[in-house]
Amino acid sequence: MSFQGDQRGFIFSLDATLAMLVVMIVMAGVARAAGPEQTYGQHGSLRLERYANDALEVIQLTGALDNIVTFVKHRDNAKAENLARTELRKILPAEVQFKLVVGSENNPRLAVYPSDTGKRAKWNKAWDNTTERATATRMSILSPSGRPFRVLVWIDDALDNAFVDEVTRCTGWEVTKTSDETFFRNEILRWDTAVTPNERYYKAVFIPDAQRDFSAETESGLVMFSLYIGRLVVGGDTMWNDASRDDVWWFWEVLGVDYKYIGRPPQDKRHTGMHIIDDTHPITASPYRVCYRVDYAGEDYYLYVYRPPLLVSTQILAQWDNGNTAGVDPLPWRGIIFRRKYVEGELGRVGTGVLFNMRMAQSAMGADVGKEDWVTLARRAIYWEGETWQFEPVTLYVWRGEEAS
């Protein structure tokens, strides 16, 4: 077949190409005429949203947001305002203004603009007049009284430290960690001098795995705390290290243990898990159920024989898989012991105690076995239900505009 002399297809293609060229020229003209405005219309709002979210994320990751909320909790709004203004002004472009609100918009605990409160009325007017703004929000924990939930923690090593970080992450608690016994002893019964009338500074004391013999003075402070102030949570070898000392026997009993029956059973590598036996208590309630098994990595760690005393009101929340050992204790080995608020004949005592018969940090962080369960159980044990805590928003609004003058 010959195509010579037959150019109909070629002539049609040339016409189509010329038509497309005309269309492209027209479209380019339209794009040029509306370019900057169209680009802003498509991307301006999204960019503002990114400014808001990125700025709030940065001050959260750097710890500035926690410090701002802490100042608000302590009713030191001047420091909170100065810190928020300084950090946000460093992050956001000069043409982007902001309003940071801690608490609800209708009843904020704190509202911060880019310059001081002397220009509050002008900033309020600028805020009311802006037609385009973006918002980012994070949640913080504040008590109805404005006071934080403070926890004092004893740590021995890097595993303890990592475990405590996991337990307290995203809780909003104020955590003081130390391995200095003098400092620890002085902090246990500390007063909150910012409160009138005075209250104790800490709501809970957590000793995840103390590998030492505390002094009698330190343990006396822990006894007072557990009886009259808040919740004492102890795990690991803490009790065993003091088992031979008659001068601090009360330390065992405030944790629900009769000091005359503390023992160390023979090493048994079968104890690879612990069973929940009481799912009605807040520490071991849903999603846990009776017979739920918590995995334990510490097959080389000793467990102990603990027997609750007769006069102290206690609950056994969990026990170990391997049960009893002939000649050691006729009852199963207790895993979690909770001492309730009141001791018989002493109705004025409001503190509580929790004893974990295991090395939680080593199991959770050393071998990563049962980590989520150990973190959850420890967190629930520490949290003291003496106050009702609530979540409140921290909101950042941003908009484009001139600074109020």
Side-chain angles (χ1 to χ4, degrees), residues 8 11 13 28 49 91 126 146 253 274 277 298 337 340 355 364 382 385:
R8 288 174 296 178
I11 293 171
S13 297
E49 290 178 8
I91 298 167
E253 294 211 343
M274 180 186 70
I277 63 171
I337 299 175
R340 293 192 289 272
L355 174 62
I382 293 169
E385 62 270 17

Tab-separated table of all heavy atoms in Angstrom, residues 8 11 13 28 49 91 126 146 253 274 277 298 337 340 355 364 382 385:
chain	number	residue	atom	x	y	z
A	8	ARG	N	-3.793	13.305	4.022
A	8	ARG	CA	-4.917	13.766	4.842
A	8	ARG	C	-4.637	13.673	6.345
A	8	ARG	O	-4.954	14.587	7.090
A	8	ARG	CB	-6.139	12.936	4.495
A	8	ARG	CG	-6.723	13.278	3.113
A	8	ARG	CD	-7.838	12.324	2.767
A	8	ARG	NE	-7.319	10.964	2.656
A	8	ARG	CZ	-8.080	9.913	2.398
A	8	ARG	NH1	-9.394	10.067	2.273
A	8	ARG	NH2	-7.566	8.719	2.283
A	11	ILE	N	-2.342	16.621	7.363
A	11	ILE	CA	-3.009	17.924	7.395
A	11	ILE	C	-3.894	18.026	8.635
A	11	ILE	O	-3.926	19.024	9.337
A	11	ILE	CB	-3.842	18.130	6.112
A	11	ILE	CG1	-2.916	18.234	4.896
A	11	ILE	CG2	-4.718	19.378	6.220
A	11	ILE	CD1	-3.654	18.226	3.581
A	13	SER	N	-3.501	16.454	11.611
A	13	SER	CA	-2.638	16.578	12.781
A	13	SER	C	-2.108	17.986	12.921
A	13	SER	O	-1.975	18.513	14.036
A	13	SER	CB	-1.482	15.576	12.687
A	13	SER	OG	-1.974	14.254	12.691
A	28	ALA	N	-2.224	30.010	29.700
A	28	ALA	CA	-1.067	30.643	30.333
A	28	ALA	C	-1.374	32.080	30.707
A	28	ALA	O	-0.966	32.576	31.760
A	28	ALA	CB	0.133	30.579	29.390
A	49	GLU	N	-2.265	26.364	58.902
A	49	GLU	CA	-2.472	25.164	59.718
A	49	GLU	C	-1.148	24.501	60.067
A	49	GLU	O	-0.948	24.028	61.195
A	49	GLU	CB	-3.375	24.182	58.974
A	49	GLU	CG	-4.818	24.642	58.843
A	49	GLU	CD	-5.665	23.658	58.065
A	49	GLU	OE1	-5.153	22.549	57.773
A	49	GLU	OE2	-6.820	23.991	57.754
A	91	ILE	N	9.716	30.726	66.872
A	91	ILE	CA	9.353	29.689	65.906
A	91	ILE	C	8.575	30.247	64.720
A	91	ILE	O	8.848	29.906	63.567
A	91	ILE	CB	8.526	28.594	66.609
A	91	ILE	CG1	9.348	27.918	67.710
A	91	ILE	CG2	8.037	27.551	65.604
A	91	ILE	CD1	8.534	27.054	68.640
A	126	ALA	N	-7.704	42.851	67.290
A	126	ALA	CA	-7.111	42.213	66.113
A	126	ALA	C	-7.601	40.779	65.975
A	126	ALA	O	-7.871	40.298	64.876
A	126	ALA	CB	-5.591	42.265	66.204
A	146	GLY	N	-6.087	23.070	90.533
A	146	GLY	CA	-4.935	23.654	89.862
A	146	GLY	C	-3.615	23.084	90.327
A	146	GLY	O	-2.563	23.456	89.825
A	253	GLU	N	4.817	-3.544	107.413
A	253	GLU	CA	3.389	-3.642	107.660
A	253	GLU	C	2.597	-2.569	106.919
A	253	GLU	O	1.433	-2.809	106.564
A	253	GLU	CB	3.104	-3.598	109.162
A	253	GLU	CG	3.648	-4.818	109.882
A	253	GLU	CD	2.829	-5.210	111.096
A	253	GLU	OE1	2.034	-4.360	111.563
A	253	GLU	OE2	2.973	-6.346	111.576
A	274	MET	N	2.702	-14.367	86.230
A	274	MET	CA	1.903	-14.083	87.413
A	274	MET	C	0.435	-14.021	86.998
A	274	MET	O	0.097	-13.479	85.945
A	274	MET	CB	2.349	-12.750	88.012
A	274	MET	CG	1.605	-12.315	89.250
A	274	MET	SD	2.105	-10.642	89.768
A	274	MET	CE	1.371	-9.663	88.443
A	277	ILE	N	-5.735	-12.455	90.320
A	277	ILE	CA	-6.755	-13.216	91.045
A	277	ILE	C	-7.882	-12.314	91.548
A	277	ILE	O	-8.858	-12.811	92.111
A	277	ILE	CB	-6.144	-13.999	92.235
A	277	ILE	CG1	-5.555	-13.047	93.271
A	277	ILE	CG2	-5.100	-14.976	91.741
A	277	ILE	CD1	-5.126	-13.752	94.555
A	298	GLY	N	12.003	-12.357	84.465
A	298	GLY	CA	13.045	-12.505	85.471
A	298	GLY	C	13.210	-13.902	86.017
A	298	GLY	O	13.092	-14.133	87.222
A	337	ILE	N	0.287	-7.049	96.480
A	337	ILE	CA	-0.430	-6.860	97.738
A	337	ILE	C	-0.822	-5.381	97.848
A	337	ILE	O	0.019	-4.496	97.708
A	337	ILE	CB	0.432	-7.251	98.956
A	337	ILE	CG1	0.816	-8.734	98.871
A	337	ILE	CG2	-0.306	-6.967	100.252
A	337	ILE	CD1	1.771	-9.166	99.970
A	340	ARG	N	-5.179	-1.302	102.137
A	340	ARG	CA	-6.210	-0.272	102.057
A	340	ARG	C	-5.925	0.875	103.023
A	340	ARG	O	-4.998	0.825	103.825
A	340	ARG	CB	-7.585	-0.885	102.312
A	340	ARG	CG	-8.004	-1.845	101.201
A	340	ARG	CD	-9.480	-2.210	101.328
A	340	ARG	NE	-9.735	-3.077	102.461
A	340	ARG	CZ	-9.661	-4.410	102.402
A	340	ARG	NH1	-9.312	-5.006	101.284
A	340	ARG	NH2	-9.921	-5.132	103.464
A	355	LEU	N	2.577	-3.341	97.194
A	355	LEU	CA	3.831	-4.079	97.098
A	355	LEU	C	3.778	-5.025	95.901
A	355	LEU	O	2.873	-5.866	95.806
A	355	LEU	CB	4.088	-4.879	98.375
A	355	LEU	CG	5.301	-5.818	98.348
A	355	LEU	CD1	6.593	-5.037	98.143
A	355	LEU	CD2	5.367	-6.654	99.621
A	364	ALA	N	10.404	-5.570	82.456
A	364	ALA	CA	9.794	-4.773	81.389
A	364	ALA	C	10.820	-4.199	80.426
A	364	ALA	O	10.605	-4.191	79.213
A	364	ALA	CB	8.963	-3.650	81.994
A	382	ILE	N	0.414	3.676	91.163
A	382	ILE	CA	0.920	4.982	91.600
A	382	ILE	C	-0.204	5.993	91.726
A	382	ILE	O	-0.215	6.812	92.649
A	382	ILE	CB	1.981	5.503	90.607
A	382	ILE	CG1	3.220	4.616	90.669
A	382	ILE	CG2	2.345	6.950	90.897
A	382	ILE	CD1	4.201	4.879	89.550
A	385	GLU	N	-6.325	8.042	94.024
A	385	GLU	CA	-7.630	8.585	93.700
A	385	GLU	C	-8.120	9.584	94.734
A	385	GLU	O	-9.311	9.763	94.929
A	385	GLU	CB	-8.655	7.455	93.530
A	385	GLU	CG	-8.895	6.606	94.752
A	385	GLU	CD	-7.972	5.407	94.831
A	385	GLU	OE1	-6.957	5.395	94.126
A	385	GLU	OE2	-8.266	4.486	95.602
